Amino acid sequence: MIPIDEKIPAKISRLSELAYNLWWSWTLEARELFRRLDFPLWRKTQHNPVLMLQELSPERLEKAAQDAAFIRQYNKVMLMYDREMTNGHSWFHTEHADSVDKTIAYFSFEFGLHNSLPIYSGGLGILSGDHAKEASDLGLPFVGIGFMYPQGYFRQRIPSHGWQEAVYQQLDMGQTAIKPALLPDGQDLKVSVNLAGRTVYARVWQVRVGRISLYLLDTDVDDNDPWDRELSARLYSGDSEMRIRQEIMLGIGGVRVLRALGINPSVCHMNEGHSAFLLLECIRENVSQGMNFDDALKKVQAQTVFTTHTPVPAGHDTFSFHMVENYFNGFWDEIGISRERFLGLGGHEEEWGMAFNMTVLALRLAGKSNAVSQLHGEVSRRMWQEVWPSNRVKDVPILGITNGVHVPTWISSDWHELFDKTLGPEWRSRHDDPAIWQRLADISDRELWEVHLILKRKLMGFLRERVRRSWVGGQNDPTQVLTSGTLLDPDALTIGFARRFATYKRANLIFRDFERLQRMLLDIHRPVQIIFAGKAHPADDPGKALIQQIYNMAKNNRLGGRIAFVEDYDMHMARYLVQGVDVWLNTPRRPREASGTSGMKASLNGVPNLSVMDGWWVEGYNGANGWAINSEENTDHNMQDEKDANLLYQLLEDEIVPLYYTRDGDGVPRGWSELMREAIRSNAHQFSMRRMVKEYTTELYLPAMND
Ligand SMILES: *Cc1c(COP(=O)(O)O)cnc(C)c1O
């Protein structure tokens, strides 16, 4: 194959630079540029410009370079790009000019940036990816540290018996937007850590995300034994031994990456406890330079920030003391404390006895901690009060900073174009300002409704094309074709439910009264249909059983093809779903949903939420922008489910279905359009990643920088 840079004509030579900076993925004009280059190939590569440039023939590229309209678009995009890559005008440079020389290092196990880089599994990863993109948009001095998993997270297949299968695919590193990270002298960057007496190496990949970079560790190198090479092969697979090895590599190896690059962050942000070993490494560095442990601890405390993500106890990594001793034997001597005190740093009473809890380690040692919604803040303060035994619950220092979503990533291009026209182009830079969204009043009901119909059609087309492709490829039997949405009706009220299949999310709640649901789905005048998607963790059999149960509903002819289960939920599909369904459903067992973000993506696209009052919806619901399933918490799960299911049916039967099908003479549902407008108006700014990153900056980063 001809190298990309040799075959691209000079006139459009910077296309490859653009392809290697994920900035293109959240910039409407840049996406449009690649789409124009070769639309069928754009679709075939699932919007991967690196792969597309590799596959394009020199002739096709030459033709593009001769096309005046293409050149105009190219010049426009490169002008935008060059302006974006300079910092001077950014929010951070304007508002916090005296801190621009500091660095915030953000550590996360997963980053969900784009489908072509499958190093994420779900909500946590998407949040990290969105955070990195917004850090670029706002001009934060920011760098990310994570893993490059050559096999990523698994792809989901659902055979006709409904039991999820996991397929791992080796990623071709040359076909995605990563490059080897280089040291200032041009050498490849490599770091090592000690894992129970063996030295394990990692090479480092660099990803450009607008103005900022992520550095991703990868242990698949020749210096390592086969077992160590596998360390970063996959996300969230393997046992607790594998997990502690990964976490040592991320926390300790990650700090070493920064040092090798000459980066001395003023703030280290641990997104989840996975990276909390970085605290120990930073303490060790200070002690090795002559500080005592307590002073080193104080110094590290001042510079670290920790975000906890779940109130579900099993969601917090814990390791047996025995295992921790095995990997940290002697480390306590290096930092000048006893073995007992060392183990005590993460010591926590678990159901199975005392163990080393990564969340406790992070809470004890990080200077500032936060939870991801206001309700989750309350729950976390109660849950972790024991870490501050002398504090009352309300004084436990865990802030609530509610999550958000990166608006340019999640807004559909159809809304984007309409907003450019009607809200004025400044909506892009001011989308966290509520005043901008008051201008939605200038958009007519008909215009809102028509955009929504376009998006709904795109969703149905997307689902059909996916099924057709696997059918043609011989990967599907007829049952699978039937269950994947081929019988969906573009005119029926469409509910979307897509998320990780953990049991507390109660994906099957809506099936609790089969006959009652059946009546709604099969109503000849006002039919309802539901699209499900989501993966269960490979080790979560109850989660897989839930998928199977719903899959069987999709197969059940008594429900008339009005239930679909679409396999292999990912970011690409998420965009179509949150933009194209009519209602976004969320039925977690309160208060286990720490925040949830897919509902924010839906609201942003004018898709109202129908949700249990949990996570972000406690703050997002205002009585006119969706519906709340609001019942008292009950420790008897069966009774709680019964009550919540009843409320859910009532809302659908009495409010949602009638409102959706009440049309004016011109076919526009006036009440529904008003609801869509209100969903966007009230939620878009408040649950934007921009609002969130500004809060992290003022509440956490700046105080740590100035400490
Ligand atoms: C947004 C998103 C999530 C998170 O959704 P929740 O509502 O938090 O469950 C998970 N997976 C994908 C692919 C997403 O885009």
Side-chain angles (χ1 to χ4, degrees):
M1 203 177 349
I2 313 171
I4 295 181
D5 288 326
E6 284 173 31
K7 68 178 173 185
I8 303 185
K11 254 173 126 175
I12 50 174
S13 64
R14 293 181 71 201
L15 274 182
S16 89
E17 184 184 347
L18 194 64
Y20 275 94
N21 188 329
L22 290 169
W23 175 82
W24 70 261
S25 71
W26 73 90
T27 308
L28 187 70
E29 289 80 358
R31 288 203 304 259
E32 172 62 25
L33 183 70
F34 285 121
R35 186 180 311 123
R36 270 192 189 192
L37 198 51
D38 189 328
F39 183 58
L41 194 55
W42 181 241
R43 280 182 86 171
K44 189 184 139 224
T45 60
Q46 294 218 29
H47 306 183
N48 177 351
V50 171
L51 184 56
M52 189 165 95
L53 289 177
Q54 280 170 1
E55 296 202 350
L56 275 175
S57 66
E59 294 73 35
R60 184 76 195 75
L61 285 161
E62 193 52 54
K63 219 173 114 207
Q66 304 300 330
D67 174 352
F70 184 82
I71 292 292
R72 259 199 312 280
Q73 181 80 5
Y74 170 80
N75 288 336
K76 179 172 162 189
V77 171
M78 293 320 296
L79 209 67
M80 288 174 71
Y81 176 74
D82 287 335
R83 183 181 144 77
E84 264 314 295
M85 293 311 120
T86 56
N87 270 321
H89 54 88
S90 77
W91 172 78
F92 194 84
H93 282 247
T94 314
E95 299 285 322
H96 305 290
D98 45 350
S99 298
V100 295
D101 299 330
K102 311 265 172 82
T103 303
I104 302 149
Y106 179 92
F107 287 68
S108 185
F109 231 36
E110 39 172 322
F111 284 93
L113 293 156
H114 187 258
N115 241 42
S116 55
L117 199 56
I119 54 169
Y120 66 91
S121 81
L124 180 73
I126 310 281
L127 191 82
S128 311
D130 279 7
H131 194 130
K133 291 170 182 173
E134 192 62 55
S136 167
D137 291 345
L138 289 176
L140 263 61
F142 188 93
V143 53
I145 301 282
F147 275 117
M148 183 64 225
Y149 304 97
Q151 296 178 22
Y153 196 53
F154 73 94
R155 308 285 306 264
Q156 180 193 50
R157 288 277 300 151
I158 305 188
S160 51
H161 52 63
W163 194 256
Q164 162 189 301
E165 288 172 1
V167 182
Y168 287 92
Q169 284 172 351
Q170 189 75 24
L171 186 70
D172 183 336
M173 303 289 197
Q175 294 184 345
T176 188
I178 58 173
K179 287 191 170 164
L182 301 179
L183 290 168
D185 65 2
Q187 297 282 317
D188 279 350
L189 168 55
K190 207 157 81 175
V191 294
S192 66
V193 297
N194 177 328
L195 288 180
R198 288 205 323 286
T199 302
V200 178
Y201 296 90
R203 62 176 160 176
V204 182
W205 298 93
Q206 182 178 12
V207 188
R208 303 280 305 154
V209 184
R211 284 184 261 237
I212 66 156
S213 283
L214 306 187
Y215 293 97
L216 305 177
L217 294 146
D218 173 6
T219 61
D220 187 18
V221 294
D222 294 338
D223 316 78
N224 287 338
D225 291 344
W227 194 43
D228 297 324
R229 292 183 79 134
E230 283 277 304
L231 188 149
S232 66
R234 302 164 174 192
L235 172 62
Y236 301 137
S237 74
D239 53 10
S240 133
E241 177 105 32
M242 175 68 105
R243 185 61 75 85
I244 195 172
R245 288 151 46 78
Q246 290 180 328
E247 297 191 357
I248 292 169
M249 183 52 92
L250 179 65
I252 296 180
V255 171
R256 294 182 181 169
V257 168
L258 294 170
R259 300 299 179 229
L261 290 164
I263 298 172
N264 288 310
S266 308
V267 188
C268 283
H269 183 170
M270 294 165 279
N271 189 42
E272 246 292 325
H274 300 133
S275 55
F277 289 134
L278 75 85
L279 293 156
L280 302 177
E281 173 67 0
C282 292
I283 291 175
R284 192 193 59 78
E285 288 180 332
N286 284 296
V287 170
S288 75
Q289 283 164 21
M291 228 182 241
N292 68 34
F293 174 80
D294 291 312
D295 289 344
L297 174 60
K298 256 193 227 110
K299 179 165 174 214
V300 169
Q301 245 163 2
Q303 299 180 334
T304 41
V305 168
F306 167 60
T307 305
T308 180
H309 282 274
T310 179
V312 179
H316 299 263
D317 280 340
T318 50
F319 302 110
S320 72
F321 279 163
H322 176 73
M323 192 182 283
V324 173
E325 280 198 73
N326 188 31
Y327 283 96
F328 284 88
N329 192 5
F331 197 97
W332 46 83
D333 297 327
E334 272 187 77
I335 58 174
I337 58 173
S338 67
R339 170 185 165 278
E340 287 66 34
R341 186 160 180 209
F342 182 89
L343 293 175
L345 295 175
H348 183 247
E349 188 68 41
E350 305 292 332
E351 273 175 30
W352 42 282
M354 280 298 277
F356 198 90
N357 182 308
M358 295 300 282
T359 300
V360 170
L361 175 71
L363 288 171
R364 286 220 179 97
L365 268 52
K368 296 198 164 46
S369 297
N370 76 294
V372 293
S373 69
Q374 301 315 308
L375 177 60
H376 182 225
E378 276 172 43
V379 173
S380 300
R381 287 189 286 274
R382 230 180 301 136
M383 185 169 175
W384 300 112
Q385 192 260 341
E386 59 184 292
V387 178
W388 290 269
S390 55
N391 284 24
R392 284 177 305 177
V393 168
K394 72 176 185 39
D395 299 322
V396 166
I398 302 178
L399 277 176
I401 300 183
T402 307
N403 282 346
V405 295
H406 186 243
V407 168
T409 295
W410 294 105
I411 189 105
S412 83
S413 42
D414 301 87
W415 286 123
H416 197 311
E417 281 160 10
L418 181 65
F419 295 162
D420 278 349
K421 264 195 304 197
T422 49
L423 307 185
E426 71 273 21
W427 83 272
R428 293 188 184 198
S429 56
R430 286 179 48 202
H431 67 246
D432 60 333
D433 176 356
I436 286 286
W437 299 99
Q438 299 305 335
R439 300 181 194 164
L440 285 170
D442 299 340
I443 302 179
S444 71
D445 290 346
R446 163 175 286 281
E447 269 178 300
L448 285 171
W449 181 241
E450 280 177 355
V451 168
H452 177 65
L453 286 186
I454 290 172
L455 291 166
K456 194 168 172 183
R457 238 186 346 260
K458 282 187 179 171
L459 165 66
M460 305 278 167
F462 168 76
L463 295 178
R464 248 193 327 272
E465 271 316 298
R466 272 171 64 99
V467 188
R468 193 193 316 279
R469 231 181 303 126
S470 6
W471 177 239
V472 170
Q475 296 140 358
N476 274 354
D477 66 29
T479 308
Q480 290 166 291
V481 173
L482 189 78
T483 51
S484 306
T486 32
L487 291 180
L488 291 174
D489 173 356
D491 296 322
L493 169 62
T494 305
I495 298 172
F497 182 104
R499 47 184 47 82
R500 199 159 48 82
F501 269 70
T503 46
Y504 78 84
K505 300 212 183 209
R506 298 191 298 183
N508 57 350
L509 190 73
I510 200 167
F511 295 104
R512 200 170 163 94
D513 183 339
F514 185 90
E515 264 86 43
R516 194 164 171 190
L517 177 66
Q518 188 187 30
R519 273 197 300 280
M520 247 186 291
L521 300 186
L522 299 186
D523 188 298
I524 23 175
H525 301 293
R526 306 186 307 181
V528 175
Q529 57 194 3
I530 317 175
I531 306 174
F532 287 90
K535 298 173 178 177
H537 184 280
D540 179 11
D541 281 349
K544 284 187 245 180
L546 264 182
I547 291 179
Q548 188 172 46
Q549 187 190 351
I550 290 167
Y551 197 83
N552 285 335
M553 295 291 178
K555 272 198 297 198
N556 188 335
N557 66 312
R558 291 168 58 213
L559 295 180
R562 300 238 184 257
I563 304 288
F565 195 107
V566 196
E567 64 184 11
D568 206 30
Y569 182 48
D570 63 10
M571 274 181 89
H572 191 59
M573 190 197 298
R575 276 173 58 87
Y576 281 96
L577 284 172
V578 298
Q579 295 170 2
V581 298
D582 298 307
V583 174
W584 195 251
L585 177 66
N586 189 24
T587 48
R589 178 165 284 129
R590 183 182 151 108
R592 306 218 186 158
E593 179 92 316
S595 168
T597 52
S598 59
M600 301 174 184
K601 302 167 193 167
S603 255
L604 171 65
N605 285 286
V607 172
N609 279 265
L610 163 57
S611 170
V612 166
M613 278 300 238
D614 198 7
W616 79 283
W617 194 231
V618 177
E619 300 154 58
Y621 175 64
N622 72 359
N625 59 359
W627 302 272
I629 302 167
N630 199 357
S631 64
E632 299 284 303
E633 274 166 48
N634 194 326
T635 46
D636 182 331
H637 286 173
N638 191 38
M639 273 170 65
Q640 178 88 59
D641 292 355
E642 182 66 24
K643 235 187 205 155
D644 288 353
N646 250 319
L647 288 172
L648 171 58
Y649 292 131
Q650 264 170 23
L651 284 169
L652 282 166
E653 291 162 348
D654 300 345
E655 297 187 29
I656 300 173
V657 174
L659 189 68
Y660 184 82
Y661 284 106
T662 304
R663 305 292 165 96
D664 267 15
D666 58 0
V668 176
R670 285 265 131 51
W672 195 270
S673 303
E674 187 46 51
L675 190 72
M676 288 174 48
R677 184 185 288 108
E678 181 60 13
I680 305 174
R681 191 201 61 79
S682 60
N683 289 159
H685 63 94
Q686 181 63 16
F687 301 98
S688 67
M689 188 46 82
R690 179 149 303 172
R691 187 271 309 151
M692 186 194 109
V693 172
K694 283 182 178 176
E695 272 186 47
Y696 273 76
T697 303
T698 50
E699 303 284 332
L700 305 172
Y701 298 156
L702 289 169
M705 283 175 174
N706 300 321
D707 235 355

